[in-house]
């Protein structure tokens, strides 16, 4: 368990929390895009289909964030030091 800045205990690492948040951002972004398309043109999918697809998008975004976050941080650190 890790301890946060406010003294609370957390069982998730900061990397896992970040990945979960990126997954939520991905899922909600997909839902916003589907809703916007439905308002402007016509519905592409039903609500339940959209929710299932958003779940997969969230899992993909969270997984990619978890796997690639440290690599992107290293890359940006190297670029900044050049």
């Amino acid at each position: 368990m890790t301890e946060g800045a406010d003294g609370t205990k957390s069982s998730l690492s900061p990397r896992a929390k970040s990945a979960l948040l990126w997954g939520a951002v991905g899922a909600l972004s997909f839902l916003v895009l589907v809703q916007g398309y439905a308002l402007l043109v016509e519905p592409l999918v039903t609500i339940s289909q959209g929710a299932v697809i958003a779940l997969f998008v969230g899992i993909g975004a969270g997984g990619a964030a978890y796997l690639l976050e440290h690599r992107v941080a290293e890359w940006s650190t190297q670029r900044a030091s050049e």
Side-chain angles (χ1 to χ4, degrees), residues 7-33:
T8 59
K9 302 267 185 198
S10 174
S11 61
L12 291 175
S13 69
R15 186 175 169 195
K17 284 182 190 177
S18 175
L20 285 173
L21 290 172
W22 277 114
V25 167
L28 292 174
S29 296
F30 175 79
L31 290 173
V32 166
L33 289 172

Side-chain angles (χ1 to χ4, degrees), residues 16-74:
K17 284 182 190 177
S18 175
L20 285 173
L21 290 172
W22 277 114
V25 167
L28 292 174
S29 296
F30 175 79
L31 290 173
V32 166
L33 289 172
V34 167
Q35 184 65 36
Y37 189 85
L39 288 171
L40 294 176
V41 183
E42 66 182 41
L44 288 173
V45 294
T46 65
I47 292 173
S48 58
Q49 289 171 336
V52 170
I53 295 169
L55 177 68
F56 287 124
V57 168
I59 290 170
Y66 188 81
L67 293 174
L68 299 174
E69 183 177 23
H70 67 285
R71 292 182 185 147
V72 172
E74 288 174 5

